[in-house]
Every structure is written in C-alpha cells, then in structure tokens.
Amino acid sequence: MNGEESSFFAEIERKKWRGIRIMYLVLFLNSTGFSILLPSMWPYLQHLDPTVNYSFLGVAAAAYSVGQLVASPLAGKWSTVRGKVTLPLQMVMFIGVLGNLIYALACLLKHISPQLALWCVVVGRVLSGAGAGCIAIARSYHGTVTTLDERTGVVSKGSMAQSVGFILGPGLSLMTSLLHSGFSIGHMEFSQYTIPAYLSVFMIVTNMVIVAIWFDEDVGPADLVVNSMVEQSEIATLRVKWTGVVICNLMAFYLYAEFYCTRDS
C-alpha cells in the first residue's frame, strides 16, 4: 500500500470515528432531553388543569412511546432506502423540537381551555417520541460502519451515553425546580414546568447543528472498507433471538412505566 492509499484509508477511519462519536452525543443529549421532563410532568399537568386525574399522566407518558414506536422503524427504513442517515436524522430531530415546543407552549391555552392544554401536552409528547427515532438511526449507524471486532465496544458506549443522559436529566430538572413560578412574557411561561422542555429543545438543536457542521457521511467506500474484513460465514452465524428481544422489551416497558407513574400515596 503506497502513501496515497494509506492517507485515503486513514481519512476514512478518521471520518468514521468522528461520526461514531457524534452519534454518541446524539444518544446522550436525546436521553437527557427525555428524562429532564419526567419529574415535572405530573406537576405541569396539575398546573394546566387542577382537576386532572392521575390516569391522564399515563396517557401523556404513553404518548411518547407511541410516537417512538411509529417513528423509529420508519426512520430506520428511510435511512436504509436512502443509504444515508443525515436527512432522516435531521428530520426526526426537527420533529422532536416541534414536540417539545408544543409541550412548553401548552400553558398558553390553560386560560382558554385547560382540557385543550392537556391534549396539547399529549400531542407534544407524541411528536417528542417521534423525535426519538434518532436513537434507531444512531444505533444503526454504529452497526453499519463498524467491524465485528469494533461493534460491541461502540454499541456498549452508545448505551452508556444514553444511560448517563437518562441519569443526568432529572438532576437538571431539580435545578430548574428552584425557579418555581419563574417569569412570564404575556401568557408564555418560563417556569419549573416549561424550562425543562426549552432545555430539551436547546439540546436537540445543538445536536442538529453539530450533525450539520461536523458529521461527514460522504466517506467514499467506507462501508466496503470496514465490512470487507467480515467473512460471510461470520454474518451467517448472526441470528436474532426473538424470545430474548421480546422479554427484554417487556421488562423495559415495565421499568419505564414504574419510573413514570410511581407517586406518593
């Protein structure tokens, strides 16, 4: 291999690992933006409508999952058909921005119709869940550009980035709770209920800007380069264990439901 070829492959590797690290950030900030809203959601619903019952929290919580359930496979399919992830990734993140803005601006309707304000929260949560389709895209990118030897480490670090974000979010929400009623511009509130949503918007926009500026998906035959080392016999041994997948998802559903909906008696 001459110097020019070595430089070419080194550039491919550099761009690949930069893209992998950007996807770590996407996973981290998305998870932080998700969990930052959880502690304040029930108080926010009560703030919008003091007569709201606790069952409605279940509706608002499930709305996020419904959006993610629909958007994730669609975003994954879109990125597969295009052979590129940038446009689908930016689109689902933009939907997430809209969802969090609708969630925060629901307070504008509480003086007109508290019930309408509550359903705006639900719509915002559905769109925010759709924005979480970026998780599927980020994970598929990690799986596509890595070799089998690299994949376990890369995917586990992506999961770690999500977990750290999930832990950090409630801590940030605790800080925003110190603002209490905050301040208002007209009927537009910047309080312990809405600032977490605006912070989530900021995190998603940060992701979008970083992806637009530094994520270089046009790395030539990168997929061929990194996957040429994978033997077809190795690929043939990879089979999905659907029983394990279903069990893990059911356990995750239960844990998330407990996290969302546990409250003091």
Side-chain angles (χ1 to χ4, degrees):
M1 184 180 294
N2 58 39
E4 186 175 337
E5 289 176 337
S6 297
S7 176
F8 172 74
F9 288 121
E11 179 67 10
I12 286 177
E13 283 293 299
R14 185 184 67 81
K15 291 181 178 180
K16 181 187 81 172
W17 284 103
R18 184 174 64 189
I20 287 171
R21 294 181 181 106
I22 287 173
M23 291 303 169
Y24 289 155
L25 184 63
V26 168
L27 292 169
F28 168 73
L29 290 180
N30 178 269
S31 186
T32 305
F34 163 74
S35 63
I36 195 175
L37 294 179
L38 301 186
S40 63
M41 185 181 299
W42 174 236
Y44 185 40
L45 295 176
Q46 292 177 304
H47 175 67
L48 295 176
D49 183 0
T51 66
V52 66
N53 59 52
Y54 192 64
S55 298
F56 199 86
L57 175 61
V59 174
Y64 184 96
S65 299
V66 170
Q68 187 174 11
L69 177 67
V70 173
S72 291
L74 292 178
K77 180 66 174 178
W78 185 13
S79 62
T80 298
V81 170
R82 282 183 53 85
K84 301 285 184 180
V85 303
T86 304
L87 181 59
L89 182 63
Q90 294 282 42
M91 183 58 67
V92 295
M93 288 195 293
F94 177 72
I95 293 172
V97 169
L98 291 180
N100 282 287
L101 285 177
I102 291 173
Y103 177 95
L105 296 175
C107 61
L108 296 174
L109 298 173
K110 74 173 185 176
H111 302 288
I112 301 171
S113 172
Q115 283 293 316
L116 183 58
L118 292 178
W119 285 106
C120 277
V121 168
V122 173
V123 171
R125 294 300 289 166
V126 171
L127 294 177
S128 297
C134 66
I135 295 174
I137 295 175
R139 287 185 174 277
S140 66
Y141 179 81
H142 283 162
T144 299
V145 302
T146 53
T147 65
L148 285 179
D149 289 339
E150 297 167 340
R151 194 162 301 145
T152 300
V154 168
V155 171
S156 63
K157 288 175 184 176
S159 297
M160 182 181 69
Q162 276 189 275
S163 299
V164 172
F166 192 82
I167 294 168
L168 181 62
L172 294 175
S173 184
L174 174 63
M175 295 175 63
T176 62
S177 69
L178 300 177
L179 298 171
H180 300 291
S181 58
F183 62 95
S184 299
I185 301 177
H187 292 302
M188 191 173 178
E189 298 180 9
F190 295 88
S191 66
Q192 60 179 324
Y193 310 118
T194 60
I195 288 179
Y198 289 124
L199 285 176
S200 184
V201 168
F202 174 76
M203 292 174 193
I204 299 171
V205 171
T206 299
N207 267 338
M208 295 176 70
V209 171
I210 290 173
V211 169
I213 296 176
W214 287 292
F215 182 66
D216 187 356
E217 198 175 6
D218 187 18
V219 293
D223 291 346
L224 296 178
V225 171
V226 299
N227 289 313
S228 62
M229 293 179 259
V230 180
E231 298 293 336
Q232 292 300 316
S233 59
E234 293 178 309
I235 296 175
T237 63
L238 301 177
R239 293 290 183 268
V240 176
K241 304 296 185 180
W242 287 108
T243 302
V245 170
V246 171
I247 291 173
C248 288
N249 277 281
L250 289 175
M251 291 175 64
F253 294 159
Y254 174 78
L255 291 173
Y256 272 102
E258 284 294 300
F259 189 87
Y260 260 124
C261 299
T262 299
R263 61 165 183 167
D264 294 332
S265 301

